PDB file of all heavy atoms in Angstrom:
ATOM      1  N   VAL A   1       0.866  -1.184   0.000  1.00 96.00           N
ATOM      2  CA  VAL A   1       0.000   0.000   0.000  1.00 96.00           C
ATOM      3  C   VAL A   1       0.900   1.230   0.000  1.00 96.00           C
ATOM      4  O   VAL A   1       1.945   1.263   0.658  1.00 96.00           O
ATOM      5  CB  VAL A   1      -0.968   0.035   1.205  1.00 96.00           C
ATOM      6  CG1 VAL A   1      -2.015  -1.042   1.083  1.00 96.00           C
ATOM      7  CG2 VAL A   1      -0.229  -0.098   2.525  1.00 96.00           C
ATOM      8  N   LYS A   2       0.498   2.217  -0.774  1.00 96.00           N
ATOM      9  CA  LYS A   2       1.253   3.459  -0.893  1.00 96.00           C
ATOM     10  C   LYS A   2       0.362   4.620  -0.473  1.00 96.00           C
ATOM     11  O   LYS A   2      -0.834   4.616  -0.742  1.00 96.00           O
ATOM     12  CB  LYS A   2       1.713   3.677  -2.337  1.00 96.00           C
ATOM     13  CG  LYS A   2       2.610   2.582  -2.893  1.00 96.00           C
ATOM     14  CD  LYS A   2       2.961   2.862  -4.349  1.00 96.00           C
ATOM     15  CE  LYS A   2       3.802   1.753  -4.949  1.00 96.00           C
ATOM     16  NZ  LYS A   2       4.138   2.014  -6.368  1.00 96.00           N
ATOM     17  N   MET A   3       0.951   5.611   0.158  1.00 97.00           N
ATOM     18  CA  MET A   3       0.194   6.795   0.541  1.00 97.00           C
ATOM     19  C   MET A   3       1.150   7.910   0.930  1.00 97.00           C
ATOM     20  O   MET A   3       2.307   7.666   1.280  1.00 97.00           O
ATOM     21  CB  MET A   3      -0.763   6.505   1.705  1.00 97.00           C
ATOM     22  CG  MET A   3      -0.096   6.158   3.019  1.00 97.00           C
ATOM     23  SD  MET A   3       0.573   4.484   3.040  1.00 97.00           S
ATOM     24  CE  MET A   3       1.021   4.339   4.774  1.00 97.00           C
ATOM     25  N   SER A   4       0.679   9.133   0.858  1.00 98.00           N
ATOM     26  CA  SER A   4       1.370  10.280   1.432  1.00 98.00           C
ATOM     27  C   SER A   4       0.619  10.678   2.687  1.00 98.00           C
ATOM     28  O   SER A   4      -0.619  10.714   2.691  1.00 98.00           O
ATOM     29  CB  SER A   4       1.404  11.451   0.443  1.00 98.00           C
ATOM     30  OG  SER A   4       2.172  11.130  -0.690  1.00 98.00           O
ATOM     31  N   PHE A   5       1.339  10.962   3.747  1.00 98.00           N
ATOM     32  CA  PHE A   5       0.658  11.351   4.983  1.00 98.00           C
ATOM     33  C   PHE A   5       1.536  12.288   5.806  1.00 98.00           C
ATOM     34  O   PHE A   5       2.760  12.280   5.691  1.00 98.00           O
ATOM     35  CB  PHE A   5       0.264  10.125   5.812  1.00 98.00           C
ATOM     36  CG  PHE A   5       1.420   9.395   6.452  1.00 98.00           C
ATOM     37  CD1 PHE A   5       1.840   9.709   7.738  1.00 98.00           C
ATOM     38  CD2 PHE A   5       2.081   8.384   5.776  1.00 98.00           C
ATOM     39  CE1 PHE A   5       2.898   9.039   8.331  1.00 98.00           C
ATOM     40  CE2 PHE A   5       3.134   7.697   6.345  1.00 98.00           C
ATOM     41  CZ  PHE A   5       3.551   8.028   7.637  1.00 98.00           C
ATOM     42  N   CYS A   6       0.881  13.077   6.630  1.00 97.00           N
ATOM     43  CA  CYS A   6       1.556  13.943   7.597  1.00 97.00           C
ATOM     44  C   CYS A   6       0.732  13.957   8.872  1.00 97.00           C
ATOM     45  O   CYS A   6      -0.503  14.113   8.827  1.00 97.00           O
ATOM     46  CB  CYS A   6       1.693  15.374   7.081  1.00 97.00           C
ATOM     47  SG  CYS A   6       2.881  15.573   5.739  1.00 97.00           S
ATOM     48  N   ALA A   7       1.403  13.777   9.999  1.00 96.00           N
ATOM     49  CA  ALA A   7       0.749  13.829  11.312  1.00 96.00           C
ATOM     50  C   ALA A   7       1.327  14.994  12.101  1.00 96.00           C
ATOM     51  O   ALA A   7       2.551  15.181  12.152  1.00 96.00           O
ATOM     52  CB  ALA A   7       0.948  12.522  12.071  1.00 96.00           C
ATOM     53  N   PHE A   8       0.442  15.773  12.722  1.00 96.00           N
ATOM     54  CA  PHE A   8       0.826  16.977  13.453  1.00 96.00           C
ATOM     55  C   PHE A   8       0.332  16.895  14.891  1.00 96.00           C
ATOM     56  O   PHE A   8      -0.671  16.248  15.187  1.00 96.00           O
ATOM     57  CB  PHE A   8       0.225  18.226  12.798  1.00 96.00           C
ATOM     58  CG  PHE A   8       0.500  18.361  11.334  1.00 96.00           C
ATOM     59  CD1 PHE A   8      -0.327  17.755  10.390  1.00 96.00           C
ATOM     60  CD2 PHE A   8       1.585  19.089  10.888  1.00 96.00           C
ATOM     61  CE1 PHE A   8      -0.078  17.882   9.028  1.00 96.00           C
ATOM     62  CE2 PHE A   8       1.845  19.224   9.524  1.00 96.00           C
ATOM     63  CZ  PHE A   8       1.005  18.621   8.603  1.00 96.00           C
ATOM     64  N   SER A   9       1.037  17.603  15.778  1.00 94.00           N
ATOM     65  CA  SER A   9       0.616  17.653  17.179  1.00 94.00           C
ATOM     66  C   SER A   9       1.154  18.926  17.813  1.00 94.00           C
ATOM     67  O   SER A   9       2.106  19.539  17.306  1.00 94.00           O
ATOM     68  CB  SER A   9       1.144  16.422  17.937  1.00 94.00           C
ATOM     69  OG  SER A   9       0.816  16.498  19.309  1.00 94.00           O
ATOM     70  N   ARG A  10       0.548  19.304  18.917  1.00 89.00           N
ATOM     71  CA  ARG A  10       1.064  20.432  19.702  1.00 89.00           C
ATOM     72  C   ARG A  10       2.260  20.000  20.553  1.00 89.00           C
ATOM     73  O   ARG A  10       2.996  20.833  21.074  1.00 89.00           O
ATOM     74  CB  ARG A  10      -0.028  20.979  20.628  1.00 89.00           C
ATOM     75  CG  ARG A  10      -1.261  21.488  19.893  1.00 89.00           C
ATOM     76  CD  ARG A  10      -1.062  22.872  19.366  1.00 89.00           C
ATOM     77  NE  ARG A  10      -2.180  23.313  18.534  1.00 89.00           N
ATOM     78  CZ  ARG A  10      -2.104  24.308  17.662  1.00 89.00           C
ATOM     79  NH1 ARG A  10      -0.956  24.930  17.493  1.00 89.00           N
ATOM     80  NH2 ARG A  10      -3.135  24.651  16.944  1.00 89.00           N
ATOM     81  N   ARG A  11       2.441  18.695  20.709  1.00 84.00           N
ATOM     82  CA  ARG A  11       3.560  18.190  21.503  1.00 84.00           C
ATOM     83  C   ARG A  11       4.785  18.043  20.618  1.00 84.00           C
ATOM     84  O   ARG A  11       4.741  17.387  19.582  1.00 84.00           O
ATOM     85  CB  ARG A  11       3.211  16.835  22.123  1.00 84.00           C
ATOM     86  CG  ARG A  11       2.096  16.910  23.145  1.00 84.00           C
ATOM     87  CD  ARG A  11       1.819  15.543  23.738  1.00 84.00           C
ATOM     88  NE  ARG A  11       1.328  14.610  22.712  1.00 84.00           N
ATOM     89  CZ  ARG A  11       1.036  13.343  22.940  1.00 84.00           C
ATOM     90  NH1 ARG A  11       1.213  12.843  24.152  1.00 84.00           N
ATOM     91  NH2 ARG A  11       0.578  12.563  21.976  1.00 84.00           N
ATOM     92  N   GLU A  12       5.899  18.619  21.027  1.00 78.00           N
ATOM     93  CA  GLU A  12       7.115  18.528  20.228  1.00 78.00           C
ATOM     94  C   GLU A  12       7.757  17.171  20.434  1.00 78.00           C
ATOM     95  O   GLU A  12       7.861  16.668  21.557  1.00 78.00           O
ATOM     96  CB  GLU A  12       8.090  19.635  20.607  1.00 78.00           C
ATOM     97  CG  GLU A  12       9.281  19.716  19.693  1.00 78.00           C
ATOM     98  CD  GLU A  12      10.087  20.987  19.906  1.00 78.00           C
ATOM     99  OE1 GLU A  12       9.802  21.710  20.880  1.00 78.00           O
ATOM    100  OE2 GLU A  12      10.995  21.260  19.098  1.00 78.00           O
ATOM    101  N   ARG A  13       8.198  16.587  19.349  1.00 72.00           N
ATOM    102  CA  ARG A  13       8.805  15.264  19.387  1.00 72.00           C
ATOM    103  C   ARG A  13      10.307  15.395  19.560  1.00 72.00           C
ATOM    104  O   ARG A  13      10.955  16.213  18.927  1.00 72.00           O
ATOM    105  CB  ARG A  13       8.489  14.530  18.083  1.00 72.00           C
ATOM    106  CG  ARG A  13       9.049  13.141  17.980  1.00 72.00           C
ATOM    107  CD  ARG A  13       8.847  12.611  16.582  1.00 72.00           C
ATOM    108  NE  ARG A  13       9.426  13.526  15.599  1.00 72.00           N
ATOM    109  CZ  ARG A  13       9.378  13.333  14.293  1.00 72.00           C
ATOM    110  NH1 ARG A  13       8.733  12.311  13.801  1.00 72.00           N
ATOM    111  NH2 ARG A  13       9.936  14.199  13.462  1.00 72.00           N
ATOM    112  N   GLN A  14      10.873  14.559  20.432  1.00 66.00           N
ATOM    113  CA  GLN A  14      12.310  14.488  20.609  1.00 66.00           C
ATOM    114  C   GLN A  14      12.792  13.178  20.005  1.00 66.00           C
ATOM    115  O   GLN A  14      12.533  12.104  20.533  1.00 66.00           O
ATOM    116  CB  GLN A  14      12.669  14.561  22.104  1.00 66.00           C
ATOM    117  CG  GLN A  14      12.198  15.818  22.810  1.00 66.00           C
ATOM    118  CD  GLN A  14      12.840  17.072  22.252  1.00 66.00           C
ATOM    119  OE1 GLN A  14      13.998  17.060  21.836  1.00 66.00           O
ATOM    120  NE2 GLN A  14      12.088  18.164  22.230  1.00 66.00           N
ATOM    121  N   GLU A  15      13.520  13.283  18.898  1.00 64.00           N
ATOM    122  CA  GLU A  15      13.860  12.067  18.169  1.00 64.00           C
ATOM    123  C   GLU A  15      15.348  11.895  17.908  1.00 64.00           C
ATOM    124  O   GLU A  15      15.801  10.821  17.571  1.00 64.00           O
ATOM    125  CB  GLU A  15      13.113  12.056  16.825  1.00 64.00           C
ATOM    126  CG  GLU A  15      13.138  10.717  16.123  1.00 64.00           C
ATOM    127  CD  GLU A  15      12.213  10.707  14.930  1.00 64.00           C
ATOM    128  OE1 GLU A  15      12.447  11.493  14.004  1.00 64.00           O
ATOM    129  OE2 GLU A  15      11.261   9.921  14.942  1.00 64.00           O
ATOM    130  N   GLY A  16      16.135  12.935  18.071  1.00 67.00           N
ATOM    131  CA  GLY A  16      17.550  12.815  17.787  1.00 67.00           C
ATOM    132  C   GLY A  16      17.843  12.973  16.301  1.00 67.00           C
ATOM    133  O   GLY A  16      17.010  13.415  15.515  1.00 67.00           O
ATOM    134  N   ASN A  17      19.040  12.592  15.916  1.00 79.00           N
ATOM    135  CA  ASN A  17      19.519  12.792  14.550  1.00 79.00           C
ATOM    136  C   ASN A  17      19.184  11.574  13.695  1.00 79.00           C
ATOM    137  O   ASN A  17      19.977  10.631  13.599  1.00 79.00           O
ATOM    138  CB  ASN A  17      21.023  13.045  14.565  1.00 79.00           C
ATOM    139  CG  ASN A  17      21.562  13.423  13.206  1.00 79.00           C
ATOM    140  OD1 ASN A  17      20.815  13.925  12.361  1.00 79.00           O
ATOM    141  ND2 ASN A  17      22.838  13.178  12.989  1.00 79.00           N
ATOM    142  N   LYS A  18      18.010  11.571  13.062  1.00 89.00           N
ATOM    143  CA  LYS A  18      17.574  10.446  12.245  1.00 89.00           C
ATOM    144  C   LYS A  18      17.253  10.910  10.840  1.00 89.00           C
ATOM    145  O   LYS A  18      16.999  12.094  10.597  1.00 89.00           O
ATOM    146  CB  LYS A  18      16.364   9.754  12.879  1.00 89.00           C
ATOM    147  CG  LYS A  18      16.677   9.079  14.205  1.00 89.00           C
ATOM    148  CD  LYS A  18      15.490   8.266  14.707  1.00 89.00           C
ATOM    149  CE  LYS A  18      15.850   7.560  16.014  1.00 89.00           C
ATOM    150  NZ  LYS A  18      14.721   6.727  16.514  1.00 89.00           N
ATOM    151  N   LEU A  19      17.281   9.945   9.917  1.00 94.00           N
ATOM    152  CA  LEU A  19      16.994  10.228   8.517  1.00 94.00           C
ATOM    153  C   LEU A  19      15.959   9.233   8.020  1.00 94.00           C
ATOM    154  O   LEU A  19      15.963   8.069   8.415  1.00 94.00           O
ATOM    155  CB  LEU A  19      18.263  10.126   7.668  1.00 94.00           C
ATOM    156  CG  LEU A  19      19.428  11.030   8.073  1.00 94.00           C
ATOM    157  CD1 LEU A  19      20.465  10.194   8.825  1.00 94.00           C
ATOM    158  CD2 LEU A  19      20.062  11.681   6.857  1.00 94.00           C
ATOM    159  N   ARG A  20      15.097   9.687   7.113  1.00 95.00           N
ATOM    160  CA  ARG A  20      14.052   8.849   6.543  1.00 95.00           C
ATOM    161  C   ARG A  20      14.439   8.476   5.103  1.00 95.00           C
ATOM    162  O   ARG A  20      14.850   9.343   4.329  1.00 95.00           O
ATOM    163  CB  ARG A  20      12.720   9.598   6.530  1.00 95.00           C
ATOM    164  CG  ARG A  20      11.551   8.821   5.949  1.00 95.00           C
ATOM    165  CD  ARG A  20      10.955   7.846   6.932  1.00 95.00           C
ATOM    166  NE  ARG A  20      10.195   8.494   7.990  1.00 95.00           N
ATOM    167  CZ  ARG A  20       9.564   7.810   8.952  1.00 95.00           C
ATOM    168  NH1 ARG A  20       9.603   6.482   8.975  1.00 95.00           N
ATOM    169  NH2 ARG A  20       8.911   8.441   9.900  1.00 95.00           N
ATOM    170  N   VAL A  21      14.305   7.196   4.757  1.00 97.00           N
ATOM    171  CA  VAL A  21      14.530   6.762   3.374  1.00 97.00           C
ATOM    172  C   VAL A  21      13.330   7.218   2.543  1.00 97.00           C
ATOM    173  O   VAL A  21      12.188   6.863   2.843  1.00 97.00           O
ATOM    174  CB  VAL A  21      14.685   5.234   3.292  1.00 97.00           C
ATOM    175  CG1 VAL A  21      14.884   4.800   1.839  1.00 97.00           C
ATOM    176  CG2 VAL A  21      15.849   4.754   4.151  1.00 97.00           C
ATOM    177  N   VAL A  22      13.594   8.007   1.493  1.00 96.00           N
ATOM    178  CA  VAL A  22      12.489   8.581   0.722  1.00 96.00           C
ATOM    179  C   VAL A  22      12.550   8.186  -0.758  1.00 96.00           C
ATOM    180  O   VAL A  22      11.968   8.864  -1.616  1.00 96.00           O
ATOM    181  CB  VAL A  22      12.440  10.121   0.862  1.00 96.00           C
ATOM    182  CG1 VAL A  22      12.053  10.508   2.278  1.00 96.00           C
ATOM    183  CG2 VAL A  22      13.777  10.756   0.464  1.00 96.00           C
ATOM    184  N   SER A  23      13.245   7.101  -1.066  1.00 96.00           N
ATOM    185  CA  SER A  23      13.273   6.619  -2.447  1.00 96.00           C
ATOM    186  C   SER A  23      13.399   5.106  -2.443  1.00 96.00           C
ATOM    187  O   SER A  23      13.728   4.497  -1.422  1.00 96.00           O
ATOM    188  CB  SER A  23      14.455   7.226  -3.225  1.00 96.00           C
ATOM    189  OG  SER A  23      15.676   6.585  -2.870  1.00 96.00           O
ATOM    190  N   ASP A  24      13.144   4.512  -3.596  1.00 96.00           N
ATOM    191  CA  ASP A  24      13.495   3.118  -3.799  1.00 96.00           C
ATOM    192  C   ASP A  24      14.983   3.033  -4.118  1.00 96.00           C
ATOM    193  O   ASP A  24      15.652   4.050  -4.349  1.00 96.00           O
ATOM    194  CB  ASP A  24      12.671   2.538  -4.953  1.00 96.00           C
ATOM    195  CG  ASP A  24      11.177   2.562  -4.665  1.00 96.00           C
ATOM    196  OD1 ASP A  24      10.795   2.276  -3.511  1.00 96.00           O
ATOM    197  OD2 ASP A  24      10.397   2.871  -5.589  1.00 96.00           O
ATOM    198  N   ALA A  25      15.520   1.823  -4.140  1.00 96.00           N
ATOM    199  CA  ALA A  25      16.922   1.635  -4.493  1.00 96.00           C
ATOM    200  C   ALA A  25      17.148   2.005  -5.953  1.00 96.00           C
ATOM    201  O   ALA A  25      16.327   1.687  -6.823  1.00 96.00           O
ATOM    202  CB  ALA A  25      17.331   0.191  -4.240  1.00 96.00           C
ATOM    203  N   MET A  26      18.266   2.679  -6.232  1.00 96.00           N
ATOM    204  CA  MET A  26      18.611   3.092  -7.599  1.00 96.00           C
ATOM    205  C   MET A  26      20.029   2.615  -7.897  1.00 96.00           C
ATOM    206  O   MET A  26      20.953   2.857  -7.102  1.00 96.00           O
ATOM    207  CB  MET A  26      18.519   4.615  -7.727  1.00 96.00           C
ATOM    208  CG  MET A  26      17.124   5.177  -7.471  1.00 96.00           C
ATOM    209  SD  MET A  26      17.091   6.995  -7.416  1.00 96.00           S
ATOM    210  CE  MET A  26      17.757   7.274  -5.757  1.00 96.00           C
ATOM    211  N   LEU A  27      20.217   1.940  -9.007  1.00 94.00           N
ATOM    212  CA  LEU A  27      21.527   1.419  -9.403  1.00 94.00           C
ATOM    213  C   LEU A  27      22.092   2.280 -10.521  1.00 94.00           C
ATOM    214  O   LEU A  27      21.442   2.475 -11.556  1.00 94.00           O
ATOM    215  CB  LEU A  27      21.389  -0.035  -9.872  1.00 94.00           C
ATOM    216  CG  LEU A  27      22.691  -0.753 -10.259  1.00 94.00           C
ATOM    217  CD1 LEU A  27      23.610  -0.910  -9.047  1.00 94.00           C
ATOM    218  CD2 LEU A  27      22.368  -2.118 -10.873  1.00 94.00           C
ATOM    219  N   ASN A  28      23.315   2.810 -10.320  1.00 89.00           N
ATOM    220  CA  ASN A  28      23.905   3.643 -11.358  1.00 89.00           C
ATOM    221  C   ASN A  28      24.856   2.841 -12.247  1.00 89.00           C
ATOM    222  O   ASN A  28      25.119   1.654 -12.009  1.00 89.00           O
ATOM    223  CB  ASN A  28      24.606   4.868 -10.754  1.00 89.00           C
ATOM    224  CG  ASN A  28      25.837   4.508  -9.937  1.00 89.00           C
ATOM    225  OD1 ASN A  28      26.366   3.390 -10.019  1.00 89.00           O
ATOM    226  ND2 ASN A  28      26.309   5.461  -9.139  1.00 89.00           N
ATOM    227  N   LYS A  29      25.402   3.478 -13.269  1.00 85.00           N
ATOM    228  CA  LYS A  29      26.238   2.787 -14.243  1.00 85.00           C
ATOM    229  C   LYS A  29      27.541   2.293 -13.632  1.00 85.00           C
ATOM    230  O   LYS A  29      28.177   1.375 -14.156  1.00 85.00           O
ATOM    231  CB  LYS A  29      26.523   3.718 -15.423  1.00 85.00           C
ATOM    232  CG  LYS A  29      25.286   4.054 -16.251  1.00 85.00           C
ATOM    233  CD  LYS A  29      25.641   4.976 -17.406  1.00 85.00           C
ATOM    234  CE  LYS A  29      24.410   5.311 -18.238  1.00 85.00           C
ATOM    235  NZ  LYS A  29      24.731   6.234 -19.363  1.00 85.00           N
ATOM    236  N   ALA A  30      27.957   2.909 -12.530  1.00 86.00           N
ATOM    237  CA  ALA A  30      29.209   2.502 -11.885  1.00 86.00           C
ATOM    238  C   ALA A  30      29.014   1.300 -10.959  1.00 86.00           C
ATOM    239  O   ALA A  30      29.966   0.859 -10.317  1.00 86.00           O
ATOM    240  CB  ALA A  30      29.790   3.677 -11.106  1.00 86.00           C
ATOM    241  N   GLY A  31      27.801   0.798 -10.888  1.00 89.00           N
ATOM    242  CA  GLY A  31      27.552  -0.364 -10.054  1.00 89.00           C
ATOM    243  C   GLY A  31      27.340  -0.051  -8.585  1.00 89.00           C
ATOM    244  O   GLY A  31      27.534  -0.912  -7.715  1.00 89.00           O
ATOM    245  N   ARG A  32      26.939   1.169  -8.298  1.00 94.00           N
ATOM    246  CA  ARG A  32      26.648   1.560  -6.914  1.00 94.00           C
ATOM    247  C   ARG A  32      25.135   1.642  -6.720  1.00 94.00           C
ATOM    248  O   ARG A  32      24.412   2.187  -7.567  1.00 94.00           O
ATOM    249  CB  ARG A  32      27.289   2.906  -6.566  1.00 94.00           C
ATOM    250  CG  ARG A  32      28.803   2.914  -6.616  1.00 94.00           C
ATOM    251  CD  ARG A  32      29.362   4.217  -6.094  1.00 94.00           C
ATOM    252  NE  ARG A  32      29.166   4.360  -4.656  1.00 94.00           N
ATOM    253  CZ  ARG A  32      30.012   3.878  -3.732  1.00 94.00           C
ATOM    254  NH1 ARG A  32      31.098   3.210  -4.103  1.00 94.00           N
ATOM    255  NH2 ARG A  32      29.767   4.059  -2.446  1.00 94.00           N
ATOM    256  N   LEU A  33      24.687   1.125  -5.600  1.00 96.00           N
ATOM    257  CA  LEU A  33      23.275   1.209  -5.233  1.00 96.00           C
ATOM    258  C   LEU A  33      23.094   2.439  -4.361  1.00 96.00           C
ATOM    259  O   LEU A  33      23.874   2.673  -3.433  1.00 96.00           O
ATOM    260  CB  LEU A  33      22.847  -0.053  -4.481  1.00 96.00           C
ATOM    261  CG  LEU A  33      21.342  -0.349  -4.473  1.00 96.00           C
ATOM    262  CD1 LEU A  33      20.893  -0.746  -5.872  1.00 96.00           C
ATOM    263  CD2 LEU A  33      21.031  -1.482  -3.493  1.00 96.00           C
ATOM    264  N   ARG A  34      22.061   3.205  -4.639  1.00 95.00           N
ATOM    265  CA  ARG A  34      21.885   4.490  -3.971  1.00 95.00           C
ATOM    266  C   ARG A  34      20.445   4.661  -3.505  1.00 95.00           C
ATOM    267  O   ARG A  34      19.496   4.257  -4.184  1.00 95.00           O
ATOM    268  CB  ARG A  34      22.241   5.611  -4.950  1.00 95.00           C
ATOM    269  CG  ARG A  34      22.119   7.027  -4.405  1.00 95.00           C
ATOM    270  CD  ARG A  34      22.696   8.014  -5.401  1.00 95.00           C
ATOM    271  NE  ARG A  34      21.888   8.072  -6.618  1.00 95.00           N
ATOM    272  CZ  ARG A  34      21.092   9.086  -6.938  1.00 95.00           C
ATOM    273  NH1 ARG A  34      20.980  10.143  -6.141  1.00 95.00           N
ATOM    274  NH2 ARG A  34      20.395   9.061  -8.057  1.00 95.00           N
ATOM    275  N   TYR A  35      20.290   5.247  -2.313  1.00 97.00           N
ATOM    276  CA  TYR A  35      18.998   5.661  -1.778  1.00 97.00           C
ATOM    277  C   TYR A  35      19.052   7.152  -1.500  1.00 97.00           C
ATOM    278  O   TYR A  35      20.124   7.714  -1.225  1.00 97.00           O
ATOM    279  CB  TYR A  35      18.670   4.955  -0.459  1.00 97.00           C
ATOM    280  CG  TYR A  35      18.500   3.462  -0.546  1.00 97.00           C
ATOM    281  CD1 TYR A  35      19.588   2.612  -0.357  1.00 97.00           C
ATOM    282  CD2 TYR A  35      17.251   2.890  -0.777  1.00 97.00           C
ATOM    283  CE1 TYR A  35      19.442   1.235  -0.413  1.00 97.00           C
ATOM    284  CE2 TYR A  35      17.095   1.519  -0.828  1.00 97.00           C
ATOM    285  CZ  TYR A  35      18.191   0.693  -0.645  1.00 97.00           C
ATOM    286  OH  TYR A  35      18.035  -0.666  -0.702  1.00 97.00           O
ATOM    287  N   LEU A  36      17.902   7.804  -1.526  1.00 96.00           N
ATOM    288  CA  LEU A  36      17.804   9.178  -1.055  1.00 96.00           C
ATOM    289  C   LEU A  36      17.270   9.170   0.361  1.00 96.00           C
ATOM    290  O   LEU A  36      16.283   8.484   0.675  1.00 96.00           O
ATOM    291  CB  LEU A  36      16.888  10.004  -1.961  1.00 96.00           C
ATOM    292  CG  LEU A  36      17.401  10.309  -3.364  1.00 96.00           C
ATOM    293  CD1 LEU A  36      16.370  11.138  -4.127  1.00 96.00           C
ATOM    294  CD2 LEU A  36      18.745  11.026  -3.325  1.00 96.00           C
ATOM    295  N   LEU A  37      17.921   9.937   1.222  1.00 96.00           N
ATOM    296  CA  LEU A  37      17.502  10.093   2.611  1.00 96.00           C
ATOM    297  C   LEU A  37      17.061  11.530   2.832  1.00 96.00           C
ATOM    298  O   LEU A  37      17.517  12.444   2.146  1.00 96.00           O
ATOM    299  CB  LEU A  37      18.659   9.770   3.570  1.00 96.00           C
ATOM    300  CG  LEU A  37      19.450   8.482   3.330  1.00 96.00           C
ATOM    301  CD1 LEU A  37      20.578   8.359   4.362  1.00 96.00           C
ATOM    302  CD2 LEU A  37      18.535   7.270   3.381  1.00 96.00           C
ATOM    303  N   CYS A  38      16.180  11.729   3.804  1.00 93.00           N
ATOM    304  CA  CYS A  38      15.731  13.080   4.151  1.00 93.00           C
ATOM    305  C   CYS A  38      15.956  13.318   5.638  1.00 93.00           C
ATOM    306  O   CYS A  38      15.596  12.478   6.468  1.00 93.00           O
ATOM    307  CB  CYS A  38      14.254  13.250   3.814  1.00 93.00           C
ATOM    308  SG  CYS A  38      13.607  14.909   4.167  1.00 93.00           S
ATOM    309  N   ASP A  39      16.562  14.453   5.959  1.00 89.00           N
ATOM    310  CA  ASP A  39      16.737  14.823   7.369  1.00 89.00           C
ATOM    311  C   ASP A  39      15.736  15.897   7.789  1.00 89.00           C
ATOM    312  O   ASP A  39      15.846  16.469   8.871  1.00 89.00           O
ATOM    313  CB  ASP A  39      18.167  15.280   7.645  1.00 89.00           C
ATOM    314  CG  ASP A  39      18.547  16.572   6.922  1.00 89.00           C
ATOM    315  OD1 ASP A  39      17.694  17.122   6.184  1.00 89.00           O
ATOM    316  OD2 ASP A  39      19.684  17.045   7.091  1.00 89.00           O
ATOM    317  N   GLY A  40      14.752  16.157   6.926  1.00 87.00           N
ATOM    318  CA  GLY A  40      13.756  17.177   7.206  1.00 87.00           C
ATOM    319  C   GLY A  40      14.093  18.526   6.618  1.00 87.00           C
ATOM    320  O   GLY A  40      13.239  19.401   6.513  1.00 87.00           O
TER     321      GLY A  40
END
């Protein structure tokens, strides 16, 4: 299942230094597998 979503709150979240994977795996011509990450 695929969807776009956003959840909001008045409470601030403490999560530390994390990154979200925001792409599927991508293989380039040099033979490297790459993902895109988002830090916000």
